[in-house]
Amino acid sequence: RFQLGSMRMLLGSDVLVLDHPSSAQPCVSLYVRDPEAMSRCGFLDVWLDNVIASVPHVLMCWHKDAVIQGYMLKRTQDLPAISQFEFSPERIERCGSQVLKWLHTNCTSEASTYWLLKERGDERLQLYNLSALHQFTAGLGKSSADAQSSADSCGGSADSVDATDSAPGTTRAGQARVPERFAFPVAMLCIRAAARLSM
């Protein structure tokens, strides 16, 4: 369980944590990274993983072309202050709380799947309710003419979705058409969700 501001959440984590019950040393998370590829976002990602999993230390294993170059052991609370990659935990928490409150307000349909999208270089968040994708999946396996006919009978296009109300810094699309470049990722999202539900 994780608490951010006034909101409590149940989260999953795939962080690799090393711990030994008989050791006096605190547990650490392990990451294997290329130092030249690390960025502020990379350190932010590591910090968030550790904070959510309540891991006090992080062990970075640096490599270059799969050859180990060295190690770095840091306390989780010290990561935001690393030079060149500095960020504000308070600002991250504030922004995260705002986004979660916005999601809590707009994700109101039960048994629905929502898609939160932020394109590279765009400051806006877009939230789509994917419930209308039954029109898209209903057209799979049909001819394009049949699919279009089926979509027309439903009063929309085969790839339309409902976009929710937006908060400051977000967009409102009403009855929006999923751009063609998103058709394949959305279809794969549905397929993976269906595969997990059938397990």
Side-chain angles (χ1 to χ4, degrees), residues 25-39:
Q25 297 296 323
C27 61
V28 300
S29 60
L30 176 64
Y31 294 86
V32 181
R33 295 289 188 272
D34 182 343
E36 295 182 5
M38 284 299 288
S39 63

Side-chain angles (χ1 to χ4, degrees), residues 26-109:
C27 61
V28 300
S29 60
L30 176 64
Y31 294 86
V32 181
R33 295 289 188 272
D34 182 343
E36 295 182 5
M38 284 299 288
S39 63
R40 180 176 297 173
C41 287
F43 273 100
L44 174 59
D45 186 46
V46 171
W47 175 78
L48 279 174
D49 281 344
N50 271 30
V51 169
I52 291 173
S54 298
V55 181
H57 288 76
V58 57
L59 178 62
M60 303 290 292
C61 176
W62 303 119
H63 79 94
K64 183 64 177 177
D65 297 328
V67 177
I68 300 300
Q69 303 293 316
Y71 298 89
M72 181 185 76
L73 179 63
K74 287 282 187 181
R75 294 187 303 172
T76 299
Q77 66 189 53
D78 294 335
L79 290 179
I82 292 180
S83 59
Q84 298 181 336
F85 303 115
E86 213 171 334
F87 58 88
S88 169
E90 293 77 16
R91 183 180 179 186
I92 299 300
E93 181 176 348
R94 185 170 62 252
C95 292
S97 295
Q98 292 175 350
V99 170
L100 285 174
K101 288 177 181 177
W102 176 65
L103 291 174
H104 187 261
T105 300
N106 288 285
C107 296
T108 55
S109 300

Side-chain angles (χ1 to χ4, degrees), residues 118-132:
K118 181 181 182 298
E119 296 191 75
R120 184 183 297 273
D122 192 347
E123 294 298 324
R124 299 170 301 169
L125 291 177
Q126 301 175 64
L127 181 64
Y128 291 96
N129 183 345
L130 301 184
S131 301

